[in-house]
Amino acid sequence: MTDELSSSCDVVVVGGGAAGLSGALMLARARRSVVVIDAGAPRNAPADGVHGLLGREGMPPAELLERGRAEVGEYGGRVVTGEVAAVERDAAGLAVTLADGRAVRARRLLVTAGVVDELPDVPGLRERWGKDVLHCPYCHGWEVRDRAIGVLAVGPMAVHQAQMFRQWSADVTLFTHTSEPPAGEQAEQLAARGIRVVTGEVAAVETAGDRLAGVRLADGTVVAREALAVAPRMVARAGFLAGLGLRPAEHPSGAGEYLPVDAAGRTEAPGVWAAGNVTDPVAQVGAAAAAGAAAAAQINADLIAEETRRAVAAYRDPFAPGTEARVCELVAGDRRHGLNDMERNRAS
């Protein structure tokens, strides 16, 4: 990674995770000038390894990103350290401004900035996040199989989450915390699967050494648990897009925010695509990488279409002012418009 930022490029990618690097790799291999701007705060940084990614099972997240950055660099793509503060549109295209004042212009933008996981305010929870405080059974279920697992109810998906983790362990307890206890069909489903329900507000997460030991309720009761699942509120990192009229929307699942896109990854703002967790908060690494590559292919196709339109216009009217200016620059260089004569006159 570098701090040097070029003045312009074909595509700026905001976010250097799996989606962003995959998109940048695809674009660089398509001979596009591409710059990835990465704030260096990957969502999966606390995790020990990436799981469910064919050929890279268990690889530490930092190593995966390091390899990805190197691969992008092999094809001429650049990864720049920085945080995007704003994106504006003008006659020349998209102006991307970083928090430290640096800026770059781009013809197209790929947003892969991801989401922020907002955890409930329970003491001890943040410290164990990504270790034995988890959220995704497909990411971490195997590592906590057959252990005593708790599920902290903090959103509409809590019962579903408890039912999911029941696949990995027969010892699952749902803590209702500040939510209403399950009733009706949901309560029957939990009972049928042997999932215990504990009511009462959770006061803290208990640890012993470097491991989770239990969940302490407000009344002082401690329920022994070896892992705790929690569904954080997922908030899209997309505030820098406000200048383009783009704002996150509430996800249909109620799990947080996301940036809506069409099937091709295109947002409502012309020239702007998005992929990865910023559009699909629950996507695993493999799915995020695939979405980034797919959006990049769409961006390249869009650029080709634009370049073809311009080429056809020039072909049809070779004496148009714009065409003449480009030909003059190619043929005459700095001698166009009598520049050399003017320089000689000044010198004399």
Side-chain angles (χ1 to χ4, degrees):
M1 296 178 69
T2 178
D3 292 330
E4 297 181 8
L5 189 62
S6 57
S7 60
S8 64
C9 62
D10 289 328
V11 185
V12 163
V13 179
V14 184
L21 291 174
S22 292
L25 180 62
M26 183 72 78
L27 289 162
R29 283 179 51 83
R31 309 187 72 177
R32 296 294 179 186
S33 56
V34 57
V35 174
V36 179
I37 301 175
D38 183 29
R43 181 187 188 189
N44 63 354
D48 291 333
V50 173
H51 299 291
L53 184 61
L54 189 64
R56 293 290 182 266
E57 172 62 30
M59 177 177 285
E63 182 180 345
L64 181 68
L65 296 183
E66 183 180 359
R67 290 193 182 193
R69 289 190 289 266
E71 290 172 356
V72 170
E74 289 176 5
Y75 295 96
R78 303 184 65 220
V79 182
V80 175
T81 302
E83 182 178 354
V84 173
V87 182
E88 303 286 343
R89 189 186 307 279
D90 57 25
L94 296 166
V96 181
T97 304
L98 277 62
D100 60 10
R102 288 177 294 163
V104 58
R105 289 190 176 278
R107 298 169 63 190
R108 301 292 187 272
L109 188 72
L110 176 56
V111 179
T112 57
V115 297
V116 174
D117 292 311
E118 293 185 347
L119 294 172
D121 187 18
V122 174
L125 204 65
R126 170 63 64 179
E127 291 78 5
R128 303 306 305 171
W129 179 244
K131 301 178 179 67
D132 35 30
V133 172
L134 319 164
H135 73 291
C136 170
Y138 294 107
C139 302
H140 309 289
W142 177 264
E143 282 66 38
V144 297
R145 65 194 185 282
D146 297 328
R147 297 185 188 177
I149 300 173
V151 176
L152 183 63
V154 292
M157 302 299 289
V159 170
H160 171 73
Q161 195 174 30
Q163 292 171 339
M164 291 290 289
F165 272 95
R166 177 62 179 81
Q167 172 61 26
W168 281 266
S169 174
D171 187 356
V172 177
T173 297
L174 175 66
F175 295 90
T176 62
H177 190 38
T178 56
S179 304
E180 289 295 319
E185 185 180 2
Q186 285 189 330
E188 184 181 36
Q189 291 172 348
L190 294 174
R193 294 287 280 163
I195 299 172
R196 179 188 175 195
V197 176
V198 173
T199 58
E201 185 174 354
V202 171
V205 171
E206 297 286 324
T207 59
D210 188 27
R211 62 180 180 83
L212 185 77
V215 173
R216 177 160 52 85
L217 304 179
D219 64 5
T221 302
V222 175
V223 181
R225 296 287 91 183
E226 298 172 277
L228 183 65
V230 57
R233 176 172 170 78
M234 296 172 279
V235 179
R237 292 171 170 152
F240 57 87
L241 297 172
L244 299 177
L246 289 175
R247 289 176 175 80
E250 283 295 315
H251 195 274
S253 69
E257 296 177 347
Y258 79 119
L259 193 63
V261 295
D262 66 14
R266 192 190 300 259
T267 71
E268 294 180 351
V272 181
W273 278 255
N277 285 151
V278 73
T279 67
D280 183 0
V282 300
Q284 290 186 269
V285 172
Q298 293 292 328
I299 290 172
N300 185 53
D302 192 58
L303 288 168
I304 290 171
E306 177 186 278
E307 291 156 359
T308 301
R309 288 192 298 270
R310 291 179 177 177
V312 169
Y315 179 78
R316 291 174 176 174
D317 188 2
F319 299 108
T323 303
E324 285 193 321
R326 287 193 292 274
V327 171
C328 187
E329 183 176 359
L330 289 171
V331 174
D334 62 5
R335 292 182 288 109
R336 66 193 186 280
H337 308 305
L339 290 178
N340 277 5
D341 292 337
M342 292 171 62
E343 292 296 331
R344 281 195 292 271
N345 290 338
R346 287 198 192 98
S348 61

